[in-house]
Amino acid sequence: MPPLSGPIRCSTIADSARTVGFPPRELRDLQLRVRAGQQTPEWQAHYSVRSGVEGTVNELAHGHGMRRCH
């Protein structure tokens, strides 16, 4: 591989600055309640059905080429 031509451009603070944001308290509280609810046996039993369906659809679509147009 030949060496790169021209100067190597390193990122600078101006073009790669990062910001950190925090969600509003109401959203954070909602997320915490939802995540706590996801730990219950009732929620996990309900979600296992969806998980099985999603796995079946993925198997058909990707494993057997059901999304290919001919």
Side-chain angles (χ1 to χ4, degrees):
M1 178 181 269
L4 297 173
S5 62
I8 297 174
R9 238 190 100 196
C10 296
S11 63
T12 63
I13 295 296
D15 65 0
S16 66
R18 295 182 182 199
T19 59
V20 176
F22 297 96
R25 179 173 294 276
E26 296 82 17
L27 178 57
R28 183 182 146 282
D29 292 344
L30 175 62
Q31 287 175 330
L32 290 173
R33 284 194 310 272
V34 169
R35 288 176 183 157
Q38 291 173 348
Q39 303 306 313
T40 65
E42 295 84 12
W43 190 91
Q44 291 178 357
H46 179 75
Y47 188 77
S48 70
V49 173
R50 177 178 176 164
S51 178
V53 170
E54 293 284 342
T56 301
V57 169
N58 186 58
E59 171 68 19
L60 289 170
H62 297 286
H64 301 286
M66 299 297 284
R67 288 197 177 161
R68 286 189 210 133
C69 297
H70 295 284

